């Protein structure tokens, strides 16, 4: 009896991986489109309502998360810079309507949309919670910096007071916004992913 026996060659399966099927593929295309608009408008309104709200764990040094900035990042990260800029401008208009148009939030949120939309071409950007939280943190710092510069250029406020208050506001807003970013990003990302799969099927 031979000591070494020839083993049987393993047969590799030629089956193709199963294609992912979205439950939304069963919906009528017009119903999917209407539902998508309802999700977009509903999520925006929810973020607008949450902006002045202060629940326990959502406030640091009197500062809360910037929900509109989080929405802009969640929307723009899978889209082009142009579409991200449009979203930032719309969110800036909404925030100006709730606070004051002088200085405006359109510039800062528009730039956030452009930069976040431009990241989709970067292969090193992963669409997980950690990456999104880091993106939101960086964009919150940028947004607060642009807003502070606008206050300085207006010239009707004390520059020393602005830059003395700036680090506290920026750090508190960036930390809270990055921590709460998955609350907005995850459900919207899942919805748009399923919608894309349904349109491709």
């Amino acid at each position: 009896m031979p000591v070494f026996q020839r083993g049987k060659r393993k047969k590799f399966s030629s089956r193709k991986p199963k294609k992912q099927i979205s439950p939304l593929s069963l919906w009528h295309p017009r119903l999917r489109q209407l539902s998508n608009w309802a999700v977009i408008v509903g999520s925006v309104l929810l973020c607008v309502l949450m902006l002045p709200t202060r629940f326990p764990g959502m406030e640091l040094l009197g500062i809360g998360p910037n929900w509109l900035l989080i929405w802009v990042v969640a929307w723009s990260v899978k889209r082009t810079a142009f579409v991200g800029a449009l979203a930032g401008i719309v969110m800036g208009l909404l925030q100006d309507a709730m606070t004051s148009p002088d200085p405006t939030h359109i510039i800062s949120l528009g730039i956030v949309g452009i930069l976040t939309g431009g990241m989709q071409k970067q292969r090193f950007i992963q669409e997980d919670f950690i990456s999104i939280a880091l993106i939101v943190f960086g964009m919150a710092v940028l947004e607060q910096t642009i807003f502070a510069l606008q206050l300085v250029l207006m010239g009707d406020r004390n520059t020393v007071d602005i830059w003395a208050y700036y680090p506290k506001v920026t750090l508190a807003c960036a930390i809270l916004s990055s921590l709460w970013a998955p609350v907005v990003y995850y459900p919207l990302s899942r919805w748009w992913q399923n919608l894309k799969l349904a349109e491709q099927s």
Side-chain angles (χ1 to χ4, degrees):
M1 183 176 180
V3 178
F4 299 100
Q5 294 181 354
R6 294 182 179 178
K8 295 182 179 179
R9 293 182 179 177
K10 294 181 180 180
K11 295 182 178 180
F12 293 96
S13 176
S14 60
R15 295 179 182 177
K16 295 182 180 179
K18 291 183 178 180
K19 187 178 181 180
Q20 292 182 348
I21 299 176
S22 170
L24 299 180
S25 59
L26 301 176
W27 295 16
H28 191 275
R30 186 169 296 178
L31 178 60
R32 288 201 301 263
Q33 186 177 9
L34 291 175
S35 300
N36 187 41
W37 280 108
V39 169
I40 293 172
V41 174
S43 61
V44 170
L45 291 178
L46 183 61
C47 288
V48 169
L49 294 175
M50 290 293 291
L51 201 60
T53 307
R54 296 291 184 270
F55 290 117
M58 295 174 59
E59 185 177 5
L60 184 62
L61 301 176
I63 307 298
N66 192 335
W67 295 102
L68 297 183
L69 181 141
I70 296 172
W71 196 95
V72 171
V73 172
W75 168 270
S76 306
V77 75
K78 294 183 180 179
R79 292 172 173 84
T80 62
F82 177 75
V83 176
L86 289 179
I89 292 172
V90 172
M91 294 297 124
L93 289 171
L94 291 175
Q95 193 163 358
D96 286 348
M98 294 185 64
T99 55
S100 173
D102 194 16
T104 180
H105 294 85
I106 296 175
I107 298 174
S108 55
L109 290 178
I111 293 175
V112 167
I114 292 173
L115 295 179
T116 308
M119 289 181 181
Q120 69 167 346
K121 297 180 180 180
Q122 305 298 327
R123 295 181 180 180
F124 60 86
I125 297 296
Q126 301 295 325
E127 294 172 4
D128 53 14
F129 290 162
I130 297 177
S131 297
I132 295 301
L134 291 175
I135 292 172
V136 170
F137 186 93
M139 293 302 168
V141 172
L142 175 65
E143 193 262 349
Q144 290 296 324
T145 303
I146 295 173
F147 192 77
L149 289 173
Q150 289 185 77
L151 291 174
V152 172
L153 292 174
M154 287 172 61
D156 58 348
R157 292 173 176 83
N158 191 341
T159 305
V160 176
D161 293 339
I162 293 174
W163 293 118
Y165 194 55
Y166 161 79
K168 300 177 183 178
V169 176
T170 302
L171 188 60
C173 179
I175 291 174
L176 288 174
S177 298
S178 61
L179 289 176
W180 286 95
V183 176
V184 177
Y185 171 76
Y186 180 73
L188 289 178
S189 177
R190 290 287 298 174
W191 167 260
W192 288 325
Q193 183 179 2
N194 287 327
L195 190 66
K196 186 178 180 179
L197 289 174
E199 292 175 351
Q200 292 175 351
S201 61

